[in-house]
Amino acid sequence: MIKFKFSFFAVALIAAAVFAPNAMAKGKTSAPQVIYTGEIAKKVIGYNGATPVSISITDGRITSITALDNKETPSYFNRAKEKVFKQFIGKTVDEALKLDADVATGATYSSEALIKNIKMGLQQAKPAGNDKKSTTDKSNKKNKKNKKGKGKRSMTK
């Protein structure tokens, strides 16, 4: 009986090892990713100093944002957190990077610092080679040349 239980357990373990990677590859689940912005955005300053955050991403969506140790005035910083964090939760990384987030009235510096921290952290979460910014930058440079009268003129905007 013990041999049967051991054999059954071994087969189940092998099956899990074989089929689990396939489920993950199909986009069914992905390991949570946590990004700490302490080093990434150490020069981003709120009203009284750095405002690092920890961003949790699961299945490509932001699941939580946690403010880390800082020297901001708690009453103002809490107002900024409430306003800013809820705008990002549930969004994909790309959606969040494009978001023109609102700041909390009376806590503008803290809000702006939190938004910058979040966006700088999310840049780290983007897969390599999936950055569309470079093509946009090239087209913007062409448009600037066209506006100055240099280069070919384009009929589209």
Side-chain angles (χ1 to χ4, degrees):
M1 184 71 170
I2 294 174
K3 286 184 179 180
F4 175 74
K5 287 182 181 178
F6 179 75
S7 298
F8 179 76
F9 179 73
V11 169
L13 187 61
I14 292 169
V18 170
F19 294 112
N22 291 337
M24 290 181 72
K26 292 178 184 176
K28 301 273 184 194
T29 58
S30 65
Q33 180 180 12
V34 179
I35 300 165
Y36 166 68
T37 65
E39 284 299 312
I40 299 167
K42 62 185 172 188
K43 293 183 180 180
V44 175
I45 304 298
Y47 190 78
N48 289 321
T51 56
V53 297
S54 175
I55 307 165
S56 297
I57 301 168
T58 304
D59 293 332
R61 292 199 175 272
I62 300 167
T63 54
S64 69
I65 303 171
T66 306
L68 303 174
D69 288 341
N70 61 72
K71 295 180 181 178
E72 300 294 282
T73 306
S75 60
Y76 292 104
F77 193 67
N78 288 336
R79 189 181 317 164
K81 286 189 316 185
E82 284 180 30
K83 178 80 173 191
V84 172
F85 289 0
K86 70 181 180 181
Q87 295 175 70
F88 287 92
I89 302 296
K91 301 238 183 318
T92 66
V93 172
D94 287 334
E95 289 170 343
L97 286 169
K98 293 175 186 174
L99 180 66
D100 186 18
D102 293 328
V103 298
T105 304
T108 305
Y109 291 118
S110 297
S111 297
E112 289 175 345
L114 287 171
I115 293 166
K116 286 180 185 176
N117 265 285
I118 293 167
K119 289 192 174 190
M120 288 178 82
L122 293 175
Q123 283 293 335
Q124 302 298 310
K126 287 187 64 116
N130 195 17
D131 189 10
K132 295 180 182 178
K133 186 176 179 181
S134 60
T135 56
T136 305
D137 287 346
K138 289 177 187 176
S139 64
N140 285 342
K141 287 179 184 176
K142 286 181 185 177
N143 287 339
K144 286 180 183 178
K145 284 183 181 180
N146 290 341
K147 289 179 183 178
K148 293 179 182 178
K150 298 178 182 176
K152 294 182 182 179
R153 295 197 182 264
S154 173
M155 296 301 286
T156 60
K157 289 186 178 183

